[in-house]
Amino acid sequence: MVITNGVKLPEFSELTVDECELSTATLMSAAPYVGKHCEAVNNEFMLCRYENKDPRPCVEIGKKVTACTMQLFKHIKDNCKLEFNQYANCIDKSSGNYTFHNCRKTQAVFDACMDEKLCMNRPAFGYFCRARIHHSPTSPPPPEPCPCAPKVPDPTPSLPDCKPRPPARFGNRLYWATE
């Protein structure tokens, strides 16, 4: 990337922030709670990165994301340290690729502690895949539709709307893989 004299780069002192120097297993064991707890500020950061196509204006919001993560880990340390350490240790030691299936019992204990002491429930499966609208205080309002835009009629009014399909006549295409 070529940088000209007109480009202002931030000073190194502007970029320093307390980092989350944690292991992979530790981050993975708290990931659903971090994602849920810091969802709004993280969405704001990603929106800033997407809209600006440049990370420099988003440095301050990135610091807020890191601070939110650090705050959650401090709350976990103060309230559920033993349960969290057991769960993270299980993830670290039970497999070579940090899978969760061997650690469901310690996960249940940790989830119960988070629910009881911090009033945080683990997000449901698929929570982070759902489409949501993020209302940002810094984004401009969406543009009004152009009044001169022509109205286009629905080109396929004869197609059925969400009617259930009948089952396949000859069974599943992958009948050999269902066992």
Side-chain angles (χ1 to χ4, degrees), residues 64-125:
K64 290 179 184 177
V65 172
T66 305
C68 179
T69 304
M70 294 295 284
Q71 175 195 19
L72 178 67
F73 276 109
K74 286 177 184 173
H75 288 311
I76 290 173
K77 182 180 177 183
D78 293 341
N79 295 297
C80 298
K81 182 178 179 180
L82 178 65
E83 294 87 351
F84 179 71
N85 285 340
Q86 287 175 343
Y87 181 45
N89 191 34
C90 180
I91 290 173
D92 190 27
K93 302 264 169 63
S94 66
S95 69
N97 58 355
Y98 302 109
T99 56
F100 295 99
H101 67 275
N102 295 327
C103 304
R104 295 299 181 194
K105 291 180 182 177
T106 54
Q107 176 185 342
V109 172
F110 174 59
D111 289 346
C113 179
M114 290 293 287
D115 186 25
E116 178 186 328
K117 295 184 180 174
L118 293 176
C119 299
M120 291 182 71
N121 292 324
R122 177 180 281 270
F125 184 75

Side-chain angles (χ1 to χ4, degrees), residues 3-89:
I3 297 177
T4 62
N5 286 339
V7 175
K8 183 201 175 291
L9 293 176
E11 295 292 324
F12 187 72
S13 61
E14 296 175 38
L15 299 175
T16 55
V17 66
D18 291 335
E19 296 293 330
C20 295
E21 297 175 357
L22 301 169
S23 68
T24 302
T26 304
L27 290 171
M28 285 183 65
S29 56
Y33 294 105
V34 171
K36 179 83 174 182
H37 182 71
C38 302
E39 182 176 16
V41 70
N42 191 38
N43 288 346
E44 192 68 32
F45 174 73
M46 295 307 292
L47 183 66
C48 177
R49 290 284 307 265
Y50 179 75
E51 287 179 344
N52 293 316
K53 301 197 180 358
D54 184 14
R56 289 176 291 165
C58 309
V59 169
E60 291 303 316
I61 302 173
K63 288 180 182 181
K64 290 179 184 177
V65 172
T66 305
C68 179
T69 304
M70 294 295 284
Q71 175 195 19
L72 178 67
F73 276 109
K74 286 177 184 173
H75 288 311
I76 290 173
K77 182 180 177 183
D78 293 341
N79 295 297
C80 298
K81 182 178 179 180
L82 178 65
E83 294 87 351
F84 179 71
N85 285 340
Q86 287 175 343
Y87 181 45
N89 191 34

